[in-house]
């Protein structure tokens, strides 16, 4: 069977894909790698970065001997998937992204990163703090500033600029929710126009978090994009 990689977002976890795995396993061998620092994996001594996560994905495919992979990435997972397709175009059959942010500026990244203060989250969004601890253990307080630093790095030097997007030859399906408060329709449309072999889908009444997305909407697009019967 074909191999499908399900890639979680920053501060996310592969558990978010559980509602999809049973149905998708009828068509693919499912792989749900965790990026370092997430789940039960250690935070690397070197800084977290998109480049580092792209290399981790490359290493995972080599270790598992995965060829001609299919990718579904949520948020940062979609970004990493596209970066991997740039590095290894012959090893990626197609990519489907959901809620992936492409417009990163330094000012915007600094603003986003300020929202990742552990003590602020503990006091103002205690339920989210509980979720982070349940998914990542006690190290979630170290993971947040590491991700914030990655965001600032993205703002200063985004790997997916206009020239690199044009160079992506892999078939890509971009999905964005019409109520996503992190990703704009405008940036999704711009990237859709930039990637030569891309398609765009706007999900109605859909926010950014994966657990807020109706799986029926995503499944319909998956079936169409990947010709699943």
């Amino acid at each position: 069977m074909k191999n499908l990689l399900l890639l979680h977002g920053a501060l996310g976890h592969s558990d978010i894909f559980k509602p999809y795995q049973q149905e998708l396993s009828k068509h693919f061998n499912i792989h749900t790698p965790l990026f370092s620092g997430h789940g039960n994996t250690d935070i690397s001594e070197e800084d977290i970065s998109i480049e580092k996560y792209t290399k981790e994905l490359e290493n995972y495919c080599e270790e598992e001997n995965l060829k001609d992979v299919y990718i579904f990435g949520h948020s940062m997972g979609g970004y990493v998937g596209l970066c991997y397709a740039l590095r290894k175009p012959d090893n990626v059959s197609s990519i489907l992204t959901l809620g992936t942010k492409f417009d990163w500026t330094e000012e915007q990244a600094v603003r986003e990163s300020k929202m990742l203060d552990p003590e602020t989250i503990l006091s103002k969004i205690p339920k989210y703090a509980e979720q982070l601890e349940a998914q990542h253990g006690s190290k979630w307080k170290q993971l947040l500033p590491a991700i914030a630093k990655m965001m600032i790095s993205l703002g200063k030097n985004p790997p997916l600029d206009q020239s690199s997007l044009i160079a992506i030859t892999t078939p890509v399906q971009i999905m964005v929710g019409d109520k996503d408060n992190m990703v704009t329709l405008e940036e999704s449309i711009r990237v859709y126009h930039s990637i030569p072999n891309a398609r765009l889908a706007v999900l109605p009444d859909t926010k950014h978090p994966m657990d807020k997305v109706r799986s029926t909407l995503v499944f319909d697009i998956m079936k169409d994009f990947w010709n699943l019967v």
Side-chain angles (χ1 to χ4, degrees):
M1 292 178 76
K2 303 169 185 175
N3 292 301
L4 172 62
L5 291 156
L6 304 178
L7 306 180
H8 65 81
L11 303 176
H13 194 281
S14 55
D15 284 350
I16 62 171
F17 299 117
K18 282 184 177 177
Y20 299 82
Q21 289 189 34
Q22 183 175 353
E23 182 66 25
L24 289 173
S25 64
K26 297 175 184 177
H27 308 278
F28 301 99
N29 292 316
I30 306 297
H31 298 265
T32 55
L34 284 165
F35 294 113
S36 60
H38 295 77
N40 58 359
T41 65
D42 294 330
I43 296 180
S44 173
E45 292 184 1
E46 58 184 291
D47 287 343
I48 286 175
S49 67
I50 291 295
E51 291 81 4
K52 173 174 172 50
Y53 282 163
T54 303
K55 183 61 178 176
E56 287 181 8
L57 180 57
E58 182 178 351
N59 290 342
Y60 180 86
C61 289
E62 289 177 357
E63 289 166 5
E64 297 293 324
N65 195 29
L66 304 183
K67 307 294 184 184
D68 199 27
V69 297
Y70 293 69
I71 293 175
F72 171 44
H74 175 246
S75 196
M76 180 197 73
Y79 202 102
V80 172
L82 291 169
C83 288
Y84 176 65
L86 272 173
R87 288 172 64 103
K88 297 287 184 178
D90 293 338
N91 203 45
V92 182
S93 176
S94 59
I95 301 173
L96 194 154
T97 72
L98 171 60
T100 294
K101 183 163 189 61
F102 298 100
D103 279 352
W104 288 97
T105 64
E106 189 169 356
E107 179 184 4
Q108 181 266 343
V110 169
R111 186 170 61 250
E112 292 276 352
S113 68
K114 287 179 179 177
M115 299 167 62
L116 299 182
D117 176 66
E119 298 309 317
T120 301
I121 289 176
L122 272 170
S123 61
K124 293 188 176 181
I125 326 173
K127 284 190 176 180
Y128 185 43
E130 289 176 10
Q131 177 185 326
L132 288 171
E133 180 149 13
Q135 290 182 331
H136 312 298
S138 59
K139 71 175 184 302
W140 73 271
K141 290 184 179 181
Q142 288 76 50
L143 180 59
L144 260 69
I147 292 294
K149 193 172 182 180
M150 180 193 75
M151 286 181 171
I152 294 172
S153 175
L154 260 175
K156 291 179 178 178
N157 186 27
L160 293 180
D161 57 15
Q162 186 65 21
S163 60
S164 57
L165 289 169
I166 293 172
I168 295 174
T169 57
T170 305
V172 175
Q173 170 76 67
I174 294 169
M175 292 191 294
V176 61
D178 61 353
K179 293 185 178 178
D180 193 318
N181 61 2
M182 184 174 180
V183 183
T184 65
L185 291 176
E186 289 76 15
E187 67 189 277
S188 301
I189 291 170
R190 177 184 62 80
V191 171
Y192 153 65
H193 284 307
S194 299
I195 297 175
N197 194 8
R199 311 193 324 179
L200 175 69
V202 180
L203 304 186
D205 195 28
T206 300
K207 299 179 181 180
H208 185 78
M210 187 74 186
D211 59 0
K212 304 294 184 184
V213 178
R214 282 167 287 164
S215 59
T216 52
L217 293 176
V218 177
F219 273 132
D220 283 345
I221 294 170
M222 285 178 167
K223 288 174 183 176
D224 180 65
F225 183 50
W226 287 326
N227 296 313
L228 306 180
V229 180

